[in-house]
Amino acid sequence: MAAEAPRTAVTLMIDGRGITVPKGTTVYQAARSAGVDIPIFCYHDRMPPLGACRMCLVEVQKMSKLQTACTLEASEGMVVSTTSPAVRAAQESMLELLLINHPLDCPICDKGGECPLQDQAFRYGPGRSRFIEAKRDHAKPLSLGPVLALDRERCILCWRCVRFGEIIAGDDALKGFERGFASEVGTPRALPVESKFIGNTIAICPVGALTSRTYRFRARPWDIDPVASTCTYCGVGCSVWLDVRGGEILRTRAREEPEVNDAWLCDLGFFGHGYVAAGDRLTTPLVRREGRLQEASWDEALDLVAERLRASAERGPGRVAFLGGRRLSNEDASAAAGFFRDVVGTPHLDHRVDAPPDGASLGVSWGLRSSLEDLGRGDVFVLVGCDITEEYPVLWLRIKAAIDRGASLVIVHAKRLEIRRHARRELLDRHDRLAPLVAALAADETVASGERVHVLLGRLAMDGPDGPNLLRSADSLVRRVNGTLHIARGRGNDFGAQRFGLLPGEGGMAAPGILQGAAAGAFDLLYVAGSDPATAVTDGAAWESARSGVGFLVVHEAFLSETAQAADVVLPALVLPEKDGTVTNLEGRTLALRAAVKGPGQARADREIFDLLAARMGVVRGHDTATRIEPVARIEPAAAGAGASPSLIVVVADRLFTQGSMAGRCRGLIELAGTAHCLIHPADAARAGVTDLGLVEMVTEHASVVVQARVSDVTLPGQVLVHRGYDGVPVHALARWSPAPAGVEVRPVAPPGGETP
Amino acid sequence: MTEAAREEIRRLAGLYEHRQSALIPALFVAQQEAGYLSPAVLESVAEVLELPVTEVTSVASFYGLFYLEPVGRHMVHVCTNLSCMLNGCQRLLSRMQEVMGIQPGETTPDGRFSLRAAECLGACEEAPAVLVDEDRWAAVSPEGVEPMLERYR
């Protein structure tokens, strides 16, 4: 906004000072730009003004009544006072009225010390109350789900939280109920709030009405040290403050970064730091002796790894492979790539651990093909197999803002997305039949007439049975409409791993090839860092046979993951909030990480581990330059169509809240993830005798898993959706890599001791 | 909710540019059929209008003529606002309570009547005013209560 020259300017007087602002500026904004402080509660600069709280009243010459500065447009020659006796009296009255029902329980309120109501009562308030009647009395606090607590007595009905859900997130999570004196914000019948962005409402609440259940009573703002860093969950790379006290991260907050996350975070980011301080972090190296992993010193462990690497080198080059990268920093990734390419001498490295061999993911580089800001300026968005609020939530906020400015959203998916209400068109079909829908989009009037069309191709599309065809259809669509094709694939620092060389080199194998090679005995040693292939590889048997075919497995891990449990050497690694460095987000932007806390025990940064190993192999490494490898997007012709399609297929989908190794150790997120479940269409459920919330066994020709069933038309007939990311439920065991969709049978499981129907 | 009610709500939605505009008439359609707006009914309205159930519930909770709890077959509102109070609505309300044997906010055990004290019914010129279902009764005296209620079985 600031970059645009004002077409016409107006000059007004505020408190005796002449201020020139672009036409259309409000008096509040004009005052703020000149450093004049006007108190506000309901106004928030990311939302249109409302004028509900009346705190910003100012006196304007020639206007008979006091005016709300947040809604009043500045005009030429306007003379405004923010300090006249009438304004002062109004400010005192407003605060006196707001405080009538406010409990003034600041000493036990989490907001104390960072509370606009407290600050303004101190600065502008009357210092006394004439109200002698009983105050409003509510049970407190009201729990609205695992992370949000509502104290209705403290609420001043500014509507910020309600409007955030309507305007910014588009999820309408919180609303006003009842009327007049009985008005309150909340959810229908105080049900758990349904939102992926509710942490933001806690952040923008100007009083202590909305507080975080994971942070309540943990600290005061003056006790915590905020560390500026970056969230590393989904790949958007939101800027955060990590609030640290006593060596522990107690709270995560959004840090304003207009080009990435603006002022927002998703709840995975807000409540996702607990794993760092989890009690089951690995603190010493572990070495397998007599079949069991046992504690060892760093020297023992590193000597053993170095010895195995040397022994492999003696047998010939390229007999070592590396998998992982998603949870590494750029520096770690660069050190790993350098170590394996130059010191070990192998081209077999890949971070794309969850990519199948026959999808479209291995042929293209992952990430956006424009900046987030450019994407936000689009006028047509096509989401193909991309469940944006489950995969890249804060990216959705940008698209939502574009829709509000007139852009159109078209969804092509195998699932009814929660944002479907905002879509102009929704094209649904079973997972294995999506490609024709994309091809047909070229004839869609909105898409064809779009000037800035952005197509986001997601994992579900690329790795599905028709992945290569979908990629080709999407590619020809953007060529026809002169749009941009984004590969919405990858999480964490996959984008840094890709950029800094954790990809197959000349003659190197990709991740599926490495696994198949390992199974066939092509490698002496498999090395894993920043990944948990045992749960991530989408063909459960591929990992099992790779593990048994390789002589020696080395794993860097923060927890005793399934991969670590199968390892010969486990080296305890720091997690990203414990490291200085950088990560790369999905648009390719480099973002800073700052070590917020120290790691546990003897855990070390991955990069340091690689350096120590290199030194043992006789190479001392510096890190001035990183190998930059930018793979070129290649679009391969589609594989021949698969055979007959089964009547019920299983699709492994993504979910924001899961019980993986990080989120599964964070209070609040565990409850949000809930139990592992599958989504089955009512028609299929009726046929299989499956009831909502009952346990079912999903049986494929390879394996079976037991999960809870949710009967829902979010999925389509003929297709069962099951979520990955619940480490206790090995959904990837259900399928094998294959270009054909995986058939599944779903059977109800009688509860133990239950009646037999 | 029956298909007929759904169809009527869809028809109402077609009358307006924005789906939200049809919400209040839609809630009346649903309430007329179901008697009151239970969570399940509110969800059905939300589903047909493709609106968030939070918004539908919020709007329903705002208006006094939408009932979120079960009510009797006939709803009796007695206005207690200024004009009606000056014209003796308290005696009228007492008589109602006596005849029905319930307090404002309650429903008779046989499910015939629910009684509510209402804010302004917009009939000050004929105070005290009573609203039974959709019928407005003007200048009701305590003596008129029984014959009036007799008309509603």
Side-chain angles (χ1 to χ4, degrees):
Chain A
M1 222 189 299
E4 284 170 36
R7 203 168 293 159
T8 41
V10 293
T11 300
L12 72 166
M13 297 283 282
I14 300 181
D15 293 344
R17 291 167 57 190
I19 298 167
T20 302
V21 292
K23 191 167 166 24
T25 307
T26 61
V27 170
Y28 172 77
Q29 289 289 6
R32 197 163 79 163
S33 71
V36 175
D37 206 19
I38 297 177
I40 49 166
F41 290 116
C42 71
Y43 180 74
H44 189 281
D45 61 7
R46 300 304 199 278
M47 297 185 256
L50 182 67
C53 77
R54 320 306 290 174
M55 195 60 224
C56 66
L57 289 171
V58 293
E59 191 167 359
V60 183
Q61 264 184 27
K62 296 180 187 161
M63 295 179 97
S64 60
K65 291 193 294 185
L66 298 181
Q67 301 290 318
T68 46
C70 74
T71 58
L72 182 66
E73 188 180 325
S75 62
E76 187 62 39
M78 204 176 238
V79 180
V80 178
S81 170
T82 73
T83 56
S84 73
V87 172
R88 286 281 187 232
Q91 288 168 340
E92 288 198 0
S93 304
M94 288 323 303
L95 279 162
E96 188 179 4
L97 288 168
L98 286 175
L99 294 178
I100 277 180
N101 273 306
H102 189 83
L104 291 169
D105 55 351
C106 309
I108 56 150
C109 177
D110 273 318
K111 201 79 179 183
E114 52 184 11
C115 175
L117 181 60
Q118 194 177 43
D119 295 347
Q120 290 179 30
F122 182 72
R123 186 162 166 198
Y124 301 101
R128 65 188 152 69
S129 173
R130 290 169 291 174
F131 188 74
I132 53 169
E133 291 81 358
K135 290 196 179 219
R136 196 167 53 175
D137 182 25
H138 283 303
K140 60 195 277 180
L142 200 58
S143 160
L144 299 179
V147 295
L148 184 68
L150 168 67
D151 186 318
R152 289 165 294 173
E153 295 176 348
R154 293 179 189 155
C155 178
I156 59 167
L157 299 174
C158 73
W159 307 109
R160 271 188 183 182
C161 57
V162 171
R163 299 175 82 231
F164 171 83
E166 291 170 353
I167 298 167
I168 308 287
D171 60 13
D172 293 74
L174 295 169
K175 287 285 178 185
F177 294 92
E178 301 294 332
R179 175 180 76 235
F181 175 75
S183 299
E184 53 185 63
V185 299
T187 58
R189 305 183 306 290
L191 291 170
V193 68
E194 281 183 41
S195 177
K196 295 186 168 64
F197 303 98
I198 212 66
N200 297 296
T201 66
I202 298 170
I204 63 176
C205 179
V207 300
L210 295 174
T211 53
S212 152
R213 289 187 60 195
T214 64
Y215 178 71
R216 277 171 75 80
F217 311 133
R218 297 289 308 276
R220 286 297 194 186
W222 53 85
D223 291 331
I224 48 183
D225 297 316
V227 179
S229 196
T230 302
C231 176
T232 55
Y233 269 99
C234 80
V236 171
C238 297
S239 297
V240 294
W241 292 110
L242 300 173
D243 285 345
V244 177
R245 182 188 182 190
E248 189 183 344
I249 302 168
L250 294 186
R251 174 170 76 165
T252 305
R253 285 178 296 139
R255 187 160 56 87
E256 240 180 85
E257 177 46 73
E259 293 177 6
V260 182
N261 53 303
D262 194 9
W264 315 117
L265 277 187
C266 76
D267 291 347
L268 189 60
F270 264 111
F271 304 103
H273 49 257
Y275 75 95
V276 178
D280 59 343
R281 287 285 301 274
L282 296 177
T283 54
T284 60
L286 302 171
V287 170
R288 188 169 298 277
R289 293 193 199 100
E290 292 147 14
R292 283 195 311 120
L293 283 172
Q294 299 184 19
E295 291 193 0
S297 70
W298 272 103
D299 281 336
E300 282 174 86
L302 291 172
D303 286 345
L304 179 58
V305 175
E307 184 194 310
R308 288 295 192 136
L309 287 170
R310 273 195 303 267
S312 169
E314 277 163 23
R315 295 185 63 188
R319 297 193 51 83
V320 171
F322 174 85
L323 286 175
R326 179 169 289 183
R327 299 201 305 259
L328 301 179
S329 69
N330 289 344
E331 292 72 17
D332 295 330
S334 171
F339 177 72
F340 286 99
R341 281 169 203 280
D342 306 337
V343 181
V344 176
T346 180
H348 309 300
L349 354 165
D350 203 347
H351 71 100
R352 300 167 298 181
V353 174
D354 63 349
D358 41 31
S361 287
L362 296 174
V364 286
S365 64
W366 297 1
L368 303 184
R369 300 285 186 273
S370 75
S371 68
L372 286 163
E373 280 203 303
D374 275 345
L375 184 111
R377 286 191 275 266
D379 62 353
V380 176
F381 296 92
V382 184
L383 301 179
V384 181
C386 174
D387 194 346
I388 191 129
T389 51
E390 302 285 0
E391 297 178 80
Y392 306 104
V394 170
L395 182 52
W396 157 247
L397 301 184
R398 230 168 246 279
I399 296 178
K400 166 71 170 61
I403 292 171
D404 290 344
R405 287 193 300 269
S408 301
L409 172 66
V410 177
I411 297 171
V412 182
H413 211 289
K415 173 186 167 191
R416 287 179 214 276
L417 305 190
E418 62 182 331
I419 52 166
R420 60 196 297 260
R421 204 160 46 81
H422 301 283
R424 199 191 56 78
R425 200 163 168 205
E426 180 189 45
L427 300 168
L428 292 174
D429 209 336
R430 219 173 75 160
H431 191 211
D432 50 336
R433 300 177 196 137
L434 294 177
L437 301 181
V438 177
L441 271 182
D444 179 281
E445 211 174 284
T446 315
V447 176
S449 64
E451 288 175 16
R452 296 173 304 283
V453 180
H454 291 273
V455 179
L456 281 82
L457 196 60
R459 182 191 71 88
L460 203 81
M462 302 185 68
D463 292 359
D466 226 0
N469 262 330
L470 271 163
L471 178 58
R472 273 195 319 171
S473 305
D475 188 59
S476 68
L477 174 68
V478 294
R479 280 172 207 283
R480 206 163 317 165
V481 300
N482 195 23
T484 310
L485 177 62
H486 304 281
I487 304 300
R489 177 76 169 88
R491 288 175 60 81
N493 197 30
D494 269 331
F495 311 98
Q498 159 178 284
R499 178 174 160 198
F500 289 100
L502 291 179
L503 285 172
E506 192 66 40
M509 295 177 189
I514 290 174
L515 292 163
Q516 285 160 344
F523 301 117
D524 302 318
L525 189 148
L526 181 61
Y527 203 115
V528 174
S531 177
D532 181 14
T535 57
V537 172
T538 55
D539 175 333
W543 166 253
E544 295 291 328
S545 39
R547 173 58 197 110
S548 39
V550 74
F552 204 72
L553 173 65
V554 183
V555 176
H556 292 191
E557 251 298 359
F559 301 102
L560 201 59
S561 64
E562 278 195 44
T563 308
Q565 287 170 36
D568 295 293
V569 174
V570 183
L571 301 173
L574 296 179
V575 294
L576 289 169
E578 292 162 349
K579 292 189 271 200
D580 284 322
T582 57
V583 287
T584 305
N585 78 349
L586 82 173
E587 55 173 340
R589 183 189 298 260
T590 305
L591 298 156
L593 293 174
R594 291 280 167 266
V597 290
K598 283 202 179 74
Q602 302 172 29
R604 294 183 199 258
D606 300 86
R607 164 177 151 171
E608 192 192 343
I609 300 172
F610 292 121
D611 288 352
L612 290 168
L613 278 175
R616 275 173 169 72
M617 314 265 304
V619 181
V620 176
R621 297 183 55 79
H623 293 285
D624 324 320
T625 53
T627 325
R628 289 190 181 221
I629 297 188
E630 300 276 1
V632 180
R634 254 190 354 262
I635 291 167
E636 305 287 356
S645 160
S647 64
L648 191 60
I649 65 169
V650 57
V651 178
V652 178
D654 281 302
R655 199 163 187 270
L656 185 65
F657 304 121
T658 63
Q659 296 207 351
S661 69
M662 287 155 65
R665 289 181 171 85
C666 299
R667 214 154 64 82
L669 292 182
I670 303 168
E671 292 83 357
L672 285 172
T675 42
H677 59 270
C678 69
L679 297 169
I680 181 167
H681 191 271
D684 295 320
R687 205 168 303 126
V690 168
T691 50
D692 193 27
L693 304 181
L695 283 181
V696 292
E697 186 178 21
M698 298 177 67
V699 188
T700 66
E701 58 177 304
H702 307 291
S704 79
V705 298
V706 174
V707 291
Q708 192 186 54
R710 308 248 168 108
V711 178
S712 162
D713 65 359
V714 161
T715 184
L716 302 178
Q719 164 188 280
V720 182
L721 294 180
V722 63
H723 299 114
R724 62 174 183 170
Y726 291 77
D727 282 358
V729 184
V731 291
H732 290 313
L734 290 172
R736 295 292 174 269
W737 287 329
S738 154
V744 66
E745 197 190 327
V746 178
R747 306 174 185 146
V749 177
E755 282 176 86
T756 324
Chain B
M1 203 157 63
T2 61
E3 190 45 43
R6 285 171 189 270
E7 197 44 54
E8 175 60 8
I9 292 175
R10 274 185 221 112
R11 186 190 70 80
L12 289 166
L15 300 178
Y16 304 96
E17 191 184 340
H18 301 290
R19 295 190 295 266
Q20 283 92 329
S21 309
L23 179 52
I24 290 175
L27 287 170
F28 276 118
V29 169
Q31 178 166 286
Q32 196 145 38
E33 182 181 273
Y36 78 104
L37 298 173
S38 66
V41 170
L42 291 169
E43 229 160 88
S44 301
V45 173
E47 186 197 311
V48 177
L49 285 178
E50 290 183 47
L51 290 175
V53 70
T54 49
E55 179 169 343
V56 171
T57 312
S58 165
V59 169
S61 77
F62 184 89
Y63 293 100
L65 293 179
F66 291 131
Y67 315 129
L68 303 181
E69 304 290 335
V71 290
R73 289 197 301 286
H74 302 289
M75 173 59 82
V76 181
H77 282 102
V78 178
C79 180
T80 55
N81 216 306
L82 186 59
S83 307
C84 294
M85 183 158 293
L86 291 172
N87 282 282
C89 74
Q90 282 308 330
R91 288 195 300 126
L92 177 60
L93 189 58
S94 302
R95 182 65 191 145
M96 291 264 188
Q97 292 171 212
E98 214 174 277
V99 172
M100 294 183 188
I102 53 170
Q103 298 295 308
E106 294 177 350
T107 300
T108 55
D110 62 358
R112 187 173 162 201
F113 291 114
S114 288
L115 180 62
R116 294 258 174 105
E119 292 307 332
C120 188
L121 294 176
C124 302
E125 75 282 11
E126 297 171 313
V130 173
L131 186 70
V132 185
D133 299 336
E134 290 177 8
D135 307 333
R136 196 178 75 183
W137 291 78
V140 186
S141 66
E143 296 71 38
V145 165
E146 268 180 294
M148 183 187 77
L149 294 182
E150 266 311 298
R151 296 179 172 234
Y152 300 91
R153 299 306 311 181

